[in-house]
Amino acid sequence: AQTVTQSQPEMSVQEAETVTLSCTYDTSESDYYLFWYKQPPSRQMILVIRQEAYKQQNATENRFSVNFQKAAKSFSLKISDSQLGDAAMYFCAWGTSNTGKLIFGQGTTLQVKP
Amino acid sequence: EAQVTQNPRYLITVTGKKLTVTCSQNMNHEYMSWYRQDPGLGLRQIYYSMNVEVTDKGDVPEGYKVSRKEKRNFPLILESPSPNQTSLYFCASSSGQVSGYGYTFGSGTRLTVV
């Protein structure tokens, strides 16, 4: 069975600094996708970034980027120039083609200190 | 505005009293899904649907029912709620291959079963 693991329940970062959130997954599939979602205190789930497993190039969205290590089954999220609005819970997720299945990790709560 | 709408936002009920949480999307999405979120466990998928009359179990389907009679609606039914179903519930939808685009989420329903 596929699993997604986020081993850091909580992280903190100083405003304007860089922080990296970790995620590992386990799968025997070769074609899959990975996501990071953000959940602020409003509890809305917001898609931050996505990565196709067949692409070697790491995805980037403004201040958010990923480090995708397929062989190690690792998918970390780097937030540069952290802002107070980045404070939220972040979830890593994994899914395969042609299914409705999307599996989430346990989440990491990020605190941003002014 | 394109969105996933679920109701109610908050619900307190008693053990054994049947309830339905409604979910509707206005984006003509094929895929819909229900998740529950619990502290330390992340989001766990309850059921998902790939089209009208096509549903499949997620990781935690016990105690829940769903139906997809119309493309836009995907209600979650708890026939006999128990306290261990106290949780935050999310409905979500996707335009095509969930694995490629991820899900768009509703605002969540906080359910308390006493």
Side-chain angles (χ1 to χ4, degrees):
Chain A
Q2 292 81 10
T3 58
V4 177
T5 302
Q6 295 177 250
S7 59
Q8 306 156 314
E10 297 179 352
M11 294 279 288
S12 67
V13 63
Q14 208 70 33
E15 195 175 5
E17 298 293 309
T18 295
V19 64
T20 298
L21 308 184
S22 300
C23 174
T24 58
Y25 59 94
D26 188 21
T27 183
S28 58
E29 305 274 350
S30 59
D31 182 19
Y32 54 88
Y33 298 77
L34 296 161
F35 305 86
W36 279 98
Y37 279 86
K38 171 185 178 181
Q39 185 182 47
S42 67
R43 81 188 190 197
Q44 184 66 44
M45 293 288 289
I46 303 165
L47 179 62
V48 175
I49 199 166
R50 57 187 283 273
Q51 172 80 43
E52 296 95 333
Y54 62 84
K55 287 188 176 180
Q56 292 189 342
Q57 185 174 5
N58 289 323
T60 299
E61 289 286 344
N62 301 314
R63 297 181 295 107
F64 298 86
S65 62
V66 299
N67 182 6
F68 175 45
Q69 302 289 329
K70 190 171 185 178
K73 297 180 181 176
S74 170
F75 183 61
S76 60
L77 175 69
K78 185 172 81 171
I79 307 174
S80 304
D81 185 25
S82 296
Q83 301 175 359
L84 295 178
D86 295 334
M89 180 167 282
Y90 288 81
F91 291 97
C92 177
W94 173 98
T96 55
S97 297
N98 298 321
T99 75
K101 212 162 177 59
L102 189 64
I103 298 171
F104 285 81
Q106 302 88 336
T108 296
T109 300
L110 178 65
Q111 179 185 24
V112 181
K113 299 178 180 178
Chain B
E1 180 187 354
Q3 60 186 358
V4 178
T5 303
Q6 56 180 108
N7 285 295
R9 192 164 169 82
Y10 297 93
L11 178 61
I12 301 175
T13 190
V14 296
T15 299
K17 185 176 181 182
K18 180 179 178 180
L19 66 90
T20 299
V21 184
T22 63
C23 175
S24 178
Q25 50 92 6
N26 62 1
M27 297 168 280
N28 200 36
H29 283 176
E30 293 174 346
Y31 290 81
M32 297 188 75
S33 183
W34 278 101
Y35 285 87
R36 61 176 289 175
Q37 181 180 355
D38 301 289
L41 298 177
L43 280 80
R44 293 179 293 168
Q45 199 166 26
I46 302 171
Y47 272 96
Y48 56 94
S49 169
M50 291 169 279
N51 215 323
V52 175
E53 304 291 3
V54 181
T55 63
D56 206 351
K57 295 178 181 179
D59 294 320
V60 288
E62 295 78 17
Y64 305 95
K65 283 179 58 177
V66 293
S67 67
R68 187 96 180 271
K69 293 181 171 30
E70 303 169 281
K71 196 172 186 178
R72 64 181 291 127
N73 296 323
F74 192 47
L76 179 69
I77 302 161
L78 285 72
E79 295 269 4
S80 182
S82 63
N84 63 13
Q85 293 178 299
T86 292
S87 186
L88 177 59
Y89 291 85
F90 285 99
C91 180
S93 71
S94 179
S95 60
Q97 293 185 24
V98 173
S99 57
Y101 302 102
Y103 275 115
T104 299
F105 284 81
S107 300
T109 296
R110 173 72 68 183
L111 172 65
T112 302
V113 183
V114 297

